Amino acid sequence: MALLIHLLQEEADVLVSIVRAAAQAANEVDHTRAADRLPKRLVLGGIRRDLVRLQRLLAPEPAALFRLVNRPPK
């Protein structure tokens, strides 16, 4: 159980860093738009990549956790 907790904490740290990076990039886009300028495609592409990465990390979780709940380790 300790190993599972450790792995979930590590994964949570990665997810938090991805969300923070995407939020920071989105804030930069907001500031750029507030100045009546168009955001750079590089910034928008970075946000898109962060969100796709987040989606890939989260996609297998519900199935894996459901299996774990139905068949817990001894």
Side-chain angles (χ1 to χ4, degrees), residues 7-63:
L7 290 173
L8 289 174
Q9 287 173 339
E10 289 292 322
E11 185 173 6
D13 291 342
V14 171
L15 295 174
V16 165
S17 69
I18 293 170
V19 169
R20 285 185 180 155
Q24 182 178 0
N27 286 337
E28 290 174 15
V29 169
D30 282 342
H31 293 301
T32 302
R33 291 295 301 140
D36 283 335
R37 297 180 306 174
L38 292 176
K40 294 182 180 177
R41 291 182 72 168
L42 180 65
V43 175
L44 295 174
I47 295 171
R48 191 174 296 116
R49 282 189 300 279
D50 286 342
L51 294 176
V52 167
R53 186 172 161 210
L54 187 61
Q55 182 182 22
R56 286 182 185 154
L57 286 171
L58 290 175
E61 292 305 314

